Amino acid sequence: VSFAGYQVCLPSGRSGERGSAYTYVLAGNGLFLDVQGPLLEASAPIAPAQVRGLVEMEPRLFFRRGKIPSRFMDLALGVLQASAHEKYLAIRGVGLDSYSLSEPEQEGREAGVQYSVLPDTVVNLHSHPGGLPAFFSGTDDSDDQGFGVSVVVANLDELFPRARARVCLYGYFWPVPLSWVFEGSVACIDAGLEPEEHRWHA
Ligand SMILES: [Zn+2]
């Protein structure tokens, strides 16, 4: 099996081979990237297009152990708020069916953090201190070249910080609402749901 696979959504079913890491799927509504990891599965839209004769596909994000309970986000917000520097946290799968919040070894500066990536990380979170908004920078893009969800949190000095989530799929990025990642309500504003003109592009 090769690293990348290619499939087409024909009315008679999917044809083509899956890849060992990821699979490009051409559907009636565009091109998707399909990744199935041990903790996370995603079918991310990467290029919309109307392809006549093919079956449409539903974008999908699925946490095999269930969405992350909101208390992990609340705990993370407290840790990020207590730090004057940019900080990186990891939510990892532990045991057979649960999650834990970890703080990997890191060196945080006012803008930027260097960290070691822990195994079984399913969601990573990092802060943007000092008035930097909740957007993903070019540095974030090069840090997030694997498969997983990443969350950026900003406005930590406000009652409700702002956060934004995306699924990272081997160099492709798919913005998703925080409610797709966390179960229950979280104590921050989803910056990804704000109108387009307020969004920042790195
Ligand atoms: Zn960042």
Side-chain angles (χ1 to χ4, degrees):
V1 186
S2 52
F3 201 68
Y6 307 90
Q7 292 187 324
V8 180
C9 291
L10 298 170
S12 56
R14 276 202 203 183
S15 85
E17 298 286 319
R18 290 197 62 85
S20 63
Y22 52 82
T23 306
Y24 287 97
V25 184
L26 186 62
N29 50 343
L31 184 64
F32 287 72
L33 195 73
D34 204 85
V35 185
Q36 296 189 358
L39 294 163
L40 193 67
E41 294 176 13
S43 299
I46 56 176
Q50 199 185 18
V51 185
R52 293 175 198 140
L54 296 185
V55 177
E56 294 199 353
M57 211 168 133
E58 200 73 51
R60 191 174 89 105
L61 180 66
F62 177 68
F63 290 83
R64 287 182 190 259
R65 298 177 175 199
K67 286 196 278 184
I68 312 294
S70 59
R71 63 193 156 84
F72 284 92
M73 183 58 160
D74 296 338
L75 189 57
L77 287 173
V79 175
L80 298 177
Q81 276 174 318
S83 172
H85 295 291
E86 179 165 338
K87 194 177 264 296
Y88 170 94
L89 298 172
I91 296 169
R92 305 160 67 201
V94 290
L96 289 176
D97 59 358
S98 50
Y99 295 113
S100 75
L101 181 71
S102 307
E103 187 179 332
E105 259 189 68
Q106 57 194 285
E107 200 187 330
R109 297 177 305 278
E110 202 165 329
V113 58
Q114 280 187 317
Y115 54 88
S116 45
V117 176
L118 298 172
D120 303 318
T121 297
V122 61
V123 176
N124 76 60
L125 304 108
H126 77 281
S127 57
H128 278 182
L132 205 61
F135 73 105
F136 291 103
S137 68
T139 309
D140 297 337
D141 288 352
S142 50
D143 286 345
D144 288 336
Q145 289 295 306
F147 177 52
V149 172
S150 75
V151 175
V152 59
V153 187
N155 307 89
L156 286 153
D157 53 345
E158 291 171 19
L159 181 59
F160 293 106
R162 306 171 102 74
R164 186 187 291 272
R166 66 177 180 180
V167 186
C168 310
L169 314 98
Y170 302 111
Y172 295 97
F173 301 108
W174 177 31
V176 293
L178 291 174
S179 61
W180 286 29
V181 179
F182 297 100
E183 188 67 64
S185 58
V186 289
C188 57
I189 295 163
D190 191 341
L193 299 180
E194 295 182 337
E196 191 68 42
E197 60 265 28
H198 295 302
R199 288 192 182 177
W200 280 66
H201 295 278

